[in-house]
Amino acid sequence: GMQSHLQALLSLYKLFCPEQVTITLPGKMKTYFKNSEGPWKAAITAVRQRNQGTSPLSQAVFLGTSQPQSRKRKWNAQLVIPASSTNTNNLEEDREKNQVYLYSTNESLPVEQLRTFPQLLQNIHCLEFPSQMGSVLTNPLLLHYMNCVKDESIYLRLYYWMGQMLQEECTWCVVDNPYEEEFKSFLETVYKAECFLQEGFSACEEFLYKTLPLWDGFCCRSEILRLVSWIPLSSFSDIKSYLYNPLAQFFFTSSIYFKCSVLESLKELLQNWLNCNVIQVDLEFSS
């Protein structure tokens, strides 16, 4: 049968070799094989270190895991979204060819050569998507392409990449992470991409549900509340447990400004739900 853990494994196979998995898998996958005590251990350890004033932890504890940090920064490293890039060998070959081949149906068009929206329309059937999925967040033409071509592998690649980035860079889930400004900029980029697509990312939704219980209500406040406004519509029990309850703890103990910010975010969330519902009703009526 189609068991949940087998679905998680098959989704990884389909991500790298889509032609090998012919069955249809759900686009939104839950997190499997996670350590449920990870978030509590991370929060307790961080509070203990701050209260005791001891030296920082030698190994960062991630949200949902008990493994050390997998990606180490250099002293001058920065959190950057990769530029649009395809396979290097293919790119060099394309540069050697004459520009007349760009619109040929037999040739793929690297995203580096994509400049205008009409060019996107003429080559949408042969567009070679970037090897680094994070580059789509800052490229309006590629975001248009995502809206036009509903390719499951594209969303899965972006889901895994974004989920990993959010987990590794979250400043209140990784102990003594000094890169708060970079993380703020990354969250703002994700939010702008959601506004462009008029839908939230599933990886971002899972990130919010995991981290809101550990959030201090201050770090990256405006960015977090903006992301809240794009959470997809789901069951009331999930929304109440993962969204309303954590926000209520801050709402009743915070300033008037914070209360107004939360209400504004929830108002935008309701507007987005209504807009999505109206579009869905129109599509069903037209069909």
Side-chain angles (χ1 to χ4, degrees), residues 238-250:
D238 291 341
I239 292 292
K240 184 176 185 298
S241 301
Y242 298 120
L243 178 62
Y244 293 158
N245 289 345
L247 289 179
Q249 297 179 13
F250 298 112

Side-chain angles (χ1 to χ4, degrees), residues 260-277:
C260 293
S261 300
V262 172
L263 292 177
E264 178 68 18
S265 178
L266 296 180
K267 185 198 74 171
E268 294 178 358
L269 175 63
L270 179 59
Q271 289 177 340
N272 292 332
W273 284 350
L274 292 175
N275 291 334
C276 292
N277 186 62

Side-chain angles (χ1 to χ4, degrees), residues 99-228:
Q99 294 295 325
V100 71
Y101 292 104
L102 285 180
Y103 299 99
S104 172
T105 57
N106 297 324
E107 298 291 335
S108 61
L109 176 67
V111 293
E112 289 84 356
Q113 300 175 2
L114 194 62
R115 295 290 183 268
T116 64
F117 188 74
Q119 191 182 17
L120 170 65
L121 296 180
Q122 296 179 34
N123 294 274
I124 198 169
H125 59 284
C126 60
L127 185 64
E128 183 181 354
F129 222 68
S131 56
Q132 295 176 298
M133 287 304 300
S135 61
V136 304
L137 296 179
T138 55
N139 191 319
L141 293 177
L142 295 183
L143 291 175
H144 275 303
Y145 179 79
M146 287 184 61
N147 263 339
C148 296
V149 181
K150 298 298 183 180
D151 189 345
E152 182 183 358
S153 63
I154 294 176
Y155 284 91
L156 280 176
R157 288 174 59 194
L158 188 60
Y159 166 78
Y160 288 120
W161 176 84
M162 187 181 299
Q164 187 69 17
M165 290 293 292
L166 291 170
Q167 175 177 290
E168 289 186 353
E169 303 297 338
C170 182
T171 53
W172 60 90
C173 296
V174 178
V175 180
D176 297 324
N177 189 336
Y179 302 100
E180 180 178 348
E181 292 301 321
E182 296 180 12
F183 188 57
K184 281 184 178 181
S185 177
F186 178 67
L187 295 181
E188 183 67 22
T189 301
V190 173
Y191 169 72
K192 290 180 180 179
E194 290 182 331
C195 292
F196 189 97
L197 295 172
Q198 290 294 291
E199 62 177 334
F201 294 111
S202 56
C204 189
E205 177 191 9
E206 293 182 7
F207 165 74
L208 291 173
Y209 285 165
K210 287 181 179 179
T211 59
L212 282 178
L214 302 175
W215 186 42
D216 58 5
F218 178 77
C219 181
C220 306
R221 176 189 295 173
S222 59
E223 291 77 15
I224 290 297
L225 292 180
R226 289 194 188 109
L227 293 179
V228 166

Side-chain angles (χ1 to χ4, degrees), residues 1-26:
M2 187 54 70
Q3 300 179 20
S4 57
H5 296 90
L6 293 179
Q7 283 185 346
L9 292 176
L10 286 173
S11 66
L12 291 177
Y13 282 104
K14 194 163 187 176
L15 175 64
F16 295 101
C17 299
E19 69 280 1
Q20 299 296 329
V21 182
T22 58
I23 62 175
T24 301
L25 295 173

